Structure formats: structure tokens, C-alpha cells
Amino acid sequence: LKSHAAEKTYTIGTDVTFPPFEYANDNNKYVGIDIDLVKAIAKDQHFKVNIKAVGFSGAVQAVQSGQMDGVIAGMSVTPERKGTFDFSTPYYNSGVVMATSQNNNKIKSLNDLRGKTVAVKTGTTGAQYAQSIQKKYGFKISTFDDSSNVYEDVLTGNSVACFDDEPVLKYAINQGTQLSIKTKPAAGTPVGFGVKKGQNGELLKKFNAGLTHLKKTGQYQKILNKYLNAKK
Ligand code: GLN
């Protein structure tokens, strides 16, 4: 008889409010594409996950400091991050768009941002993108730790616009958030699961093997459909 080794538990950091990737549902249970995916992969590959919703930059820092094993948070695979992270096979694609309040007809493009304030989330590609064009378009930047506060700042009128991931903004708008997307995706990237560079290769291997298997069985597509076709 083969002996069954105890299943290893990995601590995975994630964002707090980033639907459809991760969010607390009506029963205060953490769900979303990332959560369902990493749980299904863990089951498939015989390991356990302890998911900690600490915010995007919190999760990034926790992995870099070795306090957590990996981050799954709609995380963009960028050349810059590849310097400090190893990433899984991408499981989705994303890009940064600008959104304004639904009733704001004055801000139609980046050219209308001069002298105004925009909202972004700490440490994200949206924040990076805003910083990269800030000089050219002459706006100020307000930074928040989660996307719901970013959107709130636009809805209350403190900021005229925000920069965030297109699938996340689209989902929020579908769910009734009174925002409107005004630009085509910029800074498009694949999205992957990240571990600290040179560490946790074993976890990355399991993640990739599980992802490949879930794609074969159709479970991966089922998870995507569940969240991307979600009705209000
Ligand atoms: N995709 C963006 C990034 O990686 C945003 C991620 C997030 O806010 N959770 O920077």
C-alpha cells in the first residue's frame, strides 16, 4: 500500500474587491474566477490553499517578503514584475481602460483630463499607466488601496475618472455601478498566478499542471462562464 503524504498547504494572497476575479458574495464567502480556479487546481493537484484577502499591493508585498507563497489577484504579467516574480501560464487577458461617471459627458478622452484628478489603485498597472501619461495630459493622481474606493471617488466627483482593468470595470458596470468606459484598453497584458522569483517552483509546477488539466476537463471554461455571464 502506498502511504498518503499529508497535503501541503500554501498561503495565497489576493485582492479584496476585484470582481469577477475575487470578491465576497452575499453570504460573505470569498468567490470569483481566481478563487474558484486556485481551489479547483489545489483539489486537482492534491494541495491545500489558505486564501488571504489582503489587497493587491498587500499580496504582492507578502509574497516578496516570503510571508505568503503566491498571489492570485487578476495580476498582470509584466516584464517589470518578471524581475521579482515567476508567473504561471497565463489564464486570462486584461488591459487598462479609463472610466468616468455615467453622467459625465465632459470627459470623453485623455485630452479632457488636464487640471483634473484621476483615481487609481496602489501598485497596479492602472496606476503605472496613469503615471506614464500624467505629464503629457496634465492631471493629478489620487491613490487608493482597493477598486471599490477608486470607483467611489469617481462617483462622488472627487476624481473625474479612474484607470482600472477592463474586465473588472465591465463587470462592475454590468452589476449597476454608474460608470462608463471611455477608452480602448491600453497596457494590455496576460494575467497569471505569481510566486517569488526562484522560490516555490514546486507550487508553480502544480498550478500549471492543474490549469492544463482543468482546461482539458472543461472546468476552467465553466468557471469563466460562471462569472463572466453572471447577471445582476
Ligand atoms: N491587473 C492589474 C495589475 O496587475 C490589477 C490587479 C488588481 O488590481 N488586483 O496590476
Side-chain angles (χ1 to χ4, degrees), residues 14-18 21-22 34 55-57 60 71-78 81 87 94-96 121-128 145-147 163-168 187 189-192:
T14 190
D15 207 339
V16 280
T17 317
F18 205 53
F21 294 104
E22 47 266 343
D34 288 347
F56 182 68
S57 74
V60 165
V71 48
I72 190 154
M75 186 175 184
S76 299
V77 179
T78 65
R81 287 179 183 157
F87 286 100
S94 195
V96 173
K121 181 162 65 178
T122 313
T124 60
T125 48
Q128 258 175 35
D145 279 341
D146 60 72
S147 286
F163 291 94
D164 204 358
D165 287 22
E166 186 183 38
V168 176
T189 60
V191 166

Side-chain angles (χ1 to χ4, degrees), residues 72 77 86-91 191-195 204 207-208 211:
I72 190 154
V77 179
D86 290 324
F87 286 100
S88 70
T89 309
Y91 60 87
V191 166
F193 168 70
V195 299
L204 209 54
F207 187 97
N208 283 336
L211 181 61

Side-chain angles (χ1 to χ4, degrees), residues 180-217:
S180 157
I181 294 173
K182 297 289 174 79
T183 59
K184 294 240 147 61
T189 60
V191 166
F193 168 70
V195 299
K196 188 174 179 175
K197 197 177 174 77
Q199 320 281 325
N200 259 329
E202 187 188 277
L203 172 56
L204 209 54
K205 233 185 181 165
K206 289 183 202 169
F207 187 97
N208 283 336
L211 181 61
T212 302
H213 191 216
L214 294 189
K215 279 183 175 168
K216 272 202 193 110
T217 63

Side-chain angles (χ1 to χ4, degrees), residues 9-226:
T9 300
Y10 294 102
T11 306
I12 310 295
T14 190
D15 207 339
V16 280
T17 317
F18 205 53
F21 294 104
E22 47 266 343
Y23 60 100
N25 69 11
D26 292 341
N27 304 319
N28 226 10
K29 204 180 149 231
Y30 234 56
V31 295
I33 293 170
D34 288 347
I35 309 301
D36 287 17
L37 195 58
V38 77
K39 281 188 174 168
I41 288 172
K43 197 170 176 200
D44 186 75
Q45 296 293 309
H46 308 289
F47 62 89
K48 289 199 163 67
V49 285
N50 181 6
I51 295 168
K52 302 250 187 228
V54 293
F56 182 68
S57 74
V60 165
Q61 282 168 36
V63 170
Q64 281 310 308
S65 66
Q67 285 168 277
M68 291 189 194
D69 298 302
V71 48
I72 190 154
M75 186 175 184
S76 299
V77 179
T78 65
E80 203 179 17
R81 287 179 183 157
K82 277 183 174 171
T84 51
F85 280 91
D86 290 324
F87 286 100
S88 70
T89 309
Y91 60 87
Y92 206 68
N93 276 298
S94 195
V96 173
V97 291
M98 176 179 87
T100 69
S101 261
Q102 233 157 54
N103 55 13
N104 186 341
N105 305 316
K106 290 199 193 99
I107 310 290
K108 294 189 180 76
S109 74
L110 300 172
N111 290 310
D112 302 318
L113 295 176
R114 195 159 299 278
K116 310 273 198 265
T117 302
V118 306
V120 298
K121 181 162 65 178
T122 313
T124 60
T125 48
Q128 258 175 35
Y129 176 66
Q131 282 153 17
S132 75
I133 59 168
Q134 178 175 24
K135 251 209 175 124
K136 182 171 177 200
Y137 294 100
F139 53 78
K140 292 180 216 70
I141 299 177
S142 278
T143 306
F144 300 88
D145 279 341
D146 60 72
S147 286
S148 53
N149 284 322
V150 168
Y151 301 169
E152 203 49 41
D153 206 57
V154 178
L155 294 170
T156 57
N158 292 326
S159 291
V160 295
C162 63
F163 291 94
D164 204 358
D165 287 22
E166 186 183 38
V168 176
L169 271 162
K170 274 192 168 165
Y171 185 92
I173 291 165
N174 270 334
Q175 298 290 309
T177 304
Q178 304 279 306
L179 294 173
S180 157
I181 294 173
K182 297 289 174 79
T183 59
K184 294 240 147 61
T189 60
V191 166
F193 168 70
V195 299
K196 188 174 179 175
K197 197 177 174 77
Q199 320 281 325
N200 259 329
E202 187 188 277
L203 172 56
L204 209 54
K205 233 185 181 165
K206 289 183 202 169
F207 187 97
N208 283 336
L211 181 61
T212 302
H213 191 216
L214 294 189
K215 279 183 175 168
K216 272 202 193 110
T217 63
Q219 209 181 339
Y220 163 80
Q221 194 56 47
K222 228 171 145 178
I223 291 171
L224 289 188
N225 292 347
K226 177 175 171 191

